[in-house]
Amino acid sequence: MAASDAQNMQSAEERDEINKWLPITANRNAKWYYSTFHNVTAVVGAGVLGLPYAMSQLGWIPGLLALGISWLVTFYSFWQLIQMHELEPGKRFDRYSELGEHAYGSTVGYWMVTPQQLIVQIATDIVYMVTGGKSLKKSFDMLHSSFNGVRQTYFILVFAFIQLILSQVPDFNSLKIVSLAAAVMSFAYSMIAFVASLIRGSDNRKSVSYGVRSHTTAGIVFDVFSSLGTIAFAFAGHSVALEIQATIPSPSKKPMWKGVVVAYIIVAICYFCVSVGGFWAFGDQVDDDVLVTLEKPDWLIIIANFMVFIHVLGSYQVFAIVVFDKIESYLLQVRKLTPGRSLRLITRSLYVAATAFIGILFPFFGGLLGFFGGIAFSSTSYFLPGIFWLALKKPKKWSFHWCASWVCIIIGVLITLLAPIGGLRTIIVSASTYKMFT
């Protein structure tokens, strides 16, 4: 049963009471700058560390073009979502699925959005489980050699334990300090990666090659597909855009847009600096996480990896809060359970445990970025906003917004079709040499 069908069975008073408890709609006192750091936390995630690797799969000119086009397309589609949040007077579409239902009906619209959005949220949290564990392990390995024998699994479990505590935060606005810290960390480690890459690159000019990674036609094609997914993964913030805007009081368009503009300037600085610096320094030998390639100076790389760990602690929650909202909405509206701390403790803890288990089983960072980036991230960030804009705003044929929407749709659909192929191949190659619970 779609969420809207369940809501229709309830009185307005019951819905209001439930919304006051659900994490997305419980608090509408956010300021415009909350939007900035929530969006920086959501967008500038672990994906930025994989961008030099994507550049090495594409080469200089195609890599910069792909990154630049993605920034422009997703910046525009972000604007579309913000404009549609309060499309109808007196009504707010606080969740991505609610906008889909308004555009295409309670059944079709709901299922157009919800599976895609959940894949984005859950896949991101799984990748962040892996990233958090790897980054913490890297920091400790470099601190003292005695930690080298400690399995990555244990570091993922440490990350998961902290998430069990953070997951009990009641609503989105209550995460503002965690999200702010995560946003600061993301900018800081991006700049560290950039500066450290420039330093290392100046010392290794003779050994750097700027060709693409693969040397066979099939390998190059698969790498191109995978790189598209990696770049799409890096622009994942749209899946929580309406939910972030839901925390801002009406009228919300101007403050939300102001926050997004500042956030996207920060995104551009981080993404282009890390991509260009990492590829320039290491060429086609860069790892799928540029901080793994950077090994000196030790103290700086230790700090950078720990910053990544702090960042993904907050990013995990920004994406998880949407999943918590959907689970709790279902339990309260459909199953008629009573809201309370016990419900929150059980459901959220089970979710954290599930993502930790999957992250331990499949820690293929580069392949996960390409695979998940293509399957769902391109839809929520690239083409669903355009589809909804055409259906709801009905722009004149061949007008700017009509053409721009179709460009976003075409690019997004191509990424959706091609990227998972490359990502799946990377996972298969990685799996051939992988042992469980390492």
Side-chain angles (χ1 to χ4, degrees):
M1 180 185 293
S4 63
D5 295 332
Q7 287 181 336
N8 290 335
M9 298 166 61
Q10 296 174 313
S11 68
E13 290 183 0
E14 288 175 321
R15 290 199 299 271
D16 287 342
E17 286 302 313
I18 289 174
N19 280 330
K20 288 178 182 177
W21 192 81
L22 292 173
I24 299 299
T25 50
N27 190 327
R28 294 192 190 275
N29 297 321
K31 310 297 183 182
W32 72 266
Y33 46 86
Y34 291 18
S35 164
T36 295
F37 49 76
H38 280 324
N39 281 300
V40 170
T41 298
V43 179
V44 186
V48 67
L49 301 175
L51 291 178
Y53 185 80
M55 291 281 290
S56 74
Q57 293 175 311
L58 293 169
W60 274 118
I61 295 177
L64 289 173
L65 278 175
L67 191 60
I69 290 170
S70 288
W71 188 91
L72 288 171
V73 166
T74 57
F75 189 47
Y76 173 72
S77 61
F78 227 129
W79 175 83
Q80 288 182 312
L81 286 175
I82 292 168
Q83 295 302 308
M84 290 186 287
H85 183 262
E86 294 181 86
L87 185 65
E88 300 293 332
K91 184 174 177 59
R92 295 172 60 122
F93 302 108
D94 292 325
R95 298 167 179 84
Y96 211 143
S97 58
E98 291 175 6
L99 182 63
E101 292 174 51
H102 183 67
Y104 288 98
S106 60
T107 301
V108 175
Y110 180 84
W111 290 107
M112 279 181 69
V113 174
T114 300
Q116 306 285 348
Q117 189 183 24
L118 285 177
I119 290 173
V120 170
Q121 313 307 116
I122 297 169
T124 301
D125 283 340
I126 292 170
V127 171
Y128 284 169
M129 275 286 176
V130 177
T131 308
K134 287 180 70 173
S135 299
L136 191 61
K137 177 174 171 55
K138 179 74 172 180
S139 293
F140 275 83
D141 284 351
M142 295 183 72
L143 274 172
H144 200 279
S145 58
S146 62
F147 289 103
N148 290 336
V150 180
R151 296 181 179 184
Q152 181 176 297
T153 295
Y154 297 130
F155 290 98
I156 294 177
L157 290 175
V158 171
F159 183 87
F161 176 76
I162 298 173
Q163 291 301 338
L164 287 174
I165 298 171
L166 292 177
S167 65
Q168 298 308 307
V169 172
D171 59 68
F172 211 151
N173 270 349
S174 299
L175 284 171
K176 57 183 179 291
I177 301 300
V178 175
S179 186
L180 174 60
V184 171
M185 291 298 102
S186 65
F187 182 79
Y189 71 67
S190 294
M191 292 303 99
I192 288 175
F194 173 58
V195 173
S197 293
L198 294 182
I199 294 171
R200 284 289 304 278
S202 62
D203 296 334
N204 299 310
R205 303 309 312 136
K206 294 181 180 180
S207 60
V208 177
S209 171
Y210 294 117
V212 293
R213 300 185 73 86
S214 295
H215 302 291
T216 65
T217 302
I220 292 171
V221 171
F222 282 121
D223 277 356
V224 169
F225 291 170
S226 182
S227 68
L228 295 177
T230 301
I231 292 172
F233 188 99
F235 292 94
H238 297 58
S239 64
V240 294
L242 293 176
E243 285 80 0
I244 292 172
Q245 194 167 350
T247 66
I248 300 175
S250 297
S252 62
K253 292 179 184 178
K254 288 185 179 179
M256 179 67 178
W257 178 238
K258 184 178 180 181
V260 167
V261 169
V262 176
Y264 250 63
I265 291 172
I266 296 172
V267 168
I269 293 171
C270 293
Y271 281 18
F272 283 96
C273 285
V274 174
S275 300
V276 172
F279 187 49
W280 176 80
F282 304 108
D284 56 15
Q285 297 305 305
V286 68
D287 290 294
D288 60 359
D289 179 342
V290 69
L291 290 182
V292 173
T293 315
L294 290 166
E295 296 177 348
K296 295 180 180 180
D298 289 353
W299 64 270
L300 191 63
I301 305 308
I302 290 170
I303 291 172
N305 275 283
F306 193 72
M307 284 180 171
V308 174
F309 174 74
I310 298 297
H311 167 73
V312 293
L313 282 176
S315 290
Y316 182 100
Q317 286 300 316
V318 168
F319 283 91
I321 202 81
V322 177
V323 183
F324 298 157
D325 184 82
K326 289 190 177 298
I327 294 172
E328 290 162 17
S329 294
Y330 172 78
L331 293 176
L332 298 182
Q333 294 170 354
V334 180
R335 295 301 177 185
K336 306 296 184 182
L337 297 184
T338 303
R341 292 182 180 178
S342 297
L343 177 67
R344 184 175 288 149
L345 177 64
I346 294 170
T347 56
R348 298 185 182 189
S349 298
L350 286 173
Y351 174 77
V352 171
T355 54
F357 180 72
I358 297 172
I360 290 169
L361 283 181
F362 305 106
F364 313 126
F365 183 78
L368 287 172
L369 293 184
F371 185 70
F372 286 130
I375 284 182
F377 288 75
S378 55
S379 62
T380 55
S381 296
Y382 288 75
F383 68 80
L384 278 182
I387 290 175
F388 295 155
W389 187 271
L390 293 175
L392 297 173
K393 301 289 284 189
K394 296 180 170 51
K396 186 177 179 180
K397 194 174 183 179
W398 303 114
S399 66
F400 171 79
H401 290 298
W402 186 90
C403 292
S405 295
W406 275 109
V407 168
C408 294
I409 292 169
I410 292 169
I411 291 174
V413 169
L414 286 175
I415 294 173
T416 300
L417 294 175
L418 300 178
I421 300 173
L424 184 60
R425 175 180 178 269
T426 303
I427 292 173
I428 292 171
V429 171
S430 300
S432 65
T433 58
Y434 174 69
K435 295 180 181 179
M436 285 189 175
F437 304 108
T438 55

